Amino acid sequence: MRRDWDIMRSVLLEVEALDVKQTEEFVFFQPYSSGDPEADRARHALMLEEMGYLKGIKYQTLSEGRYLKSPELTMPGADLLDTIREKKMWEKIKEVSKERGVGIAFDTLKGLAGLAATALMT
């Protein structure tokens, strides 16, 4: 599976928008075999959880798939979302990444955001 930053951004925005009651009931579900777009969102949510940007109750079954229940942003997740929240800034980060020939990775995102912010101000 290819990492898709647009999906990860939308997952972070979705989790941030959940109220307390919605958070308690919300589940990302990744079936073992599915081409469903919701399965892709769940895979990306689980990646974000593995990197420490989301927290929640993670479990899997032998027959169905993997779950992330009651997802919440962590402090690093909130910081990441602050960097990529605004659509204009996010589009500029992707543009700068493409111009420089640098892939967007967790480690390079802050640097790309700095370059993008500078480009937007000039």
Side-chain angles (χ1 to χ4, degrees):
M1 176 196 76
R2 193 175 144 256
R3 178 176 58 195
D4 186 322
W5 275 96
D6 289 318
I7 293 173
M8 287 195 290
R9 178 178 175 268
S10 72
V11 165
L12 291 169
L13 287 166
E14 180 178 20
V15 169
E16 181 188 52
L18 297 172
D19 65 28
V20 174
K21 177 98 171 120
Q22 291 169 324
T23 297
E24 290 173 3
E25 298 171 358
F26 195 88
V27 177
F28 284 106
F29 170 58
Q30 178 200 349
Y32 286 126
S33 59
S34 174
D36 180 16
E38 286 305 308
D40 282 342
R41 291 179 54 72
R43 278 192 217 56
H44 284 80
L46 287 157
M47 276 196 291
L48 287 163
E49 188 274 335
E50 289 167 5
M51 290 298 298
Y53 296 104
L54 293 178
K55 66 180 180 177
I57 302 164
K58 188 168 125 178
Y59 60 96
Q60 65 185 49
T61 66
L62 294 174
S63 60
E64 295 174 340
R66 301 186 318 156
Y67 296 81
L68 181 61
K69 183 175 178 355
S70 305
E72 295 178 58
L73 290 177
T74 61
M75 187 62 78
D79 290 343
L80 174 61
L81 185 54
D82 285 345
T83 302
I84 62 176
R85 175 188 316 281
E86 296 304 321
K87 185 75 171 165
K88 187 174 182 180
M89 178 67 157
W90 176 235
E91 293 302 322
K92 192 64 174 177
I93 288 170
K94 293 191 301 184
E95 181 184 317
V96 168
S97 170
K98 189 174 182 177
E99 286 172 2
R100 305 272 172 142
V102 177
I104 300 173
F106 291 106
D107 295 343
T108 61
L109 191 57
K110 293 255 186 224
L112 288 169
L115 292 170
T118 300
L120 284 171
M121 287 189 234
T122 58

